[in-house]
Amino acid sequence: MSIRPVTAADHPALWEMLEPVFSAGDTYAIDPAIPRDAALAYWCSGNHRAFIAEGPLFLEKISSGGGAEGAGGQTAPLTLLGSYYICPNQQGGGAHVCNCGFVTAPQARGRGIARAMLNHALDTARAMGFRAMQFNFVVETNTRAIAIWQSHGFAVVGRLPGAFRHPTQGYIDALVMYRNL
Amino acid sequence: MSIRPVTAADHPALWEMLEPVFSAGDTYAIDPAIPRDAALAYWCSGNHRAFIAEGPLFLEKISSGGGAEGAGGQTAPLTLLGSYYICPNQQGGGAHVCNCGFVTAPQARGRGIARAMLNHALDTARAMGFRAMQFNFVVETNTRAIAIWQSHGFAVVGRLPGAFRHPTQGYIDALVMYRNL
């Protein structure tokens, strides 16, 4: 798996990955009906720098054939496994703290991709001169993400009561998470 | 004092009020060198709805002459005393929580203008259908604002350690404050 900056050529595959996450409406505070171009602009444009994680989709192809080559000698096609963006969380006196958003392809879950992207993001943040990373709105039911953030040094520094309307669970809390770099 | 929506005719006076607050860089996490048009766009455009509080600058003119009429029979000119904006704090599942920003003209401080604007904002928020109001980034040294928010039902629900670089005090905390409507 490699992690590299998003290019325009990635947009179709990136949208294919973002669309089900946004339309589910259970983790991101984004309009579930957000159109493709607006979603890609949100993820990649303005002061956001976006990256993708790509690799062969099936691990066995890596282990059996060496590298990205399958057992039958064919090269496994590279697939978009995940993406993240990084941006300043505030301007002016708050510009030393960054924010990130992460998404993992549904078919690639459980393979440590979110962790790999987070480590990449922490390195990128340090290289960009940020001193801390803040997640503004982690939905409390997103326990998988919360566990990953906590195991990587993030503390819950705030709880927003009822700030998220979950599509099936109603009004639930969102967490603010933070770590120094 | 009356509170009404901002119009383009207010922009010169509004900028005159915003500029010293932003350029001081000690309360808002905004580039202290933000240009006029960008500052006005930030305050009034996009999904922000902006209001101004206006009235005669000197209270004695109200009490001595009745209404806005001075003791000499002349009408005291209306002055911009403060401004606030209101916007959704998040989209999608977070769109029922609003955010506001407030600024009071330096020469009009201590007259309850921030409180009057806050009450107006709380009413506006309810009328717009919001269920809660959140301040994302209240610099901990802004004790005057914190006291006003707390006396109007806001709780500190988060503390961002060192998230604000104060121009004279270095890295200090910012608070997340929240109240239901």
Side-chain angles (χ1 to χ4, degrees), chain B residues 89-143:
Chain B
N89 199 45
Q90 300 284 347
Q91 303 299 312
H96 60 284
V97 181
C98 67
N99 169 246
C100 290
F102 296 86
V103 63
T104 302
Q107 65 274 29
R109 286 192 183 142
R111 286 176 46 187
I113 289 159
R115 290 174 193 276
M117 289 194 295
L118 176 57
N119 284 326
H120 191 276
L122 291 168
D123 288 342
T124 301
R126 291 185 195 101
M128 292 173 76
F130 289 113
R131 295 170 54 101
M133 187 179 288
Q134 179 176 332
F135 302 144
N136 300 304
F137 205 86
V138 184
V139 174
E140 65 171 329
T141 49
N142 194 357
T143 51

Side-chain angles (χ1 to χ4, degrees), chain A residues 129-144:
Chain A
F130 290 113
R131 296 170 54 100
M133 187 179 289
Q134 178 177 332
F135 302 144
N136 300 303
F137 205 86
V138 184
V139 175
E140 66 171 328
T141 49
N142 195 357
T143 50
R144 200 173 139 278

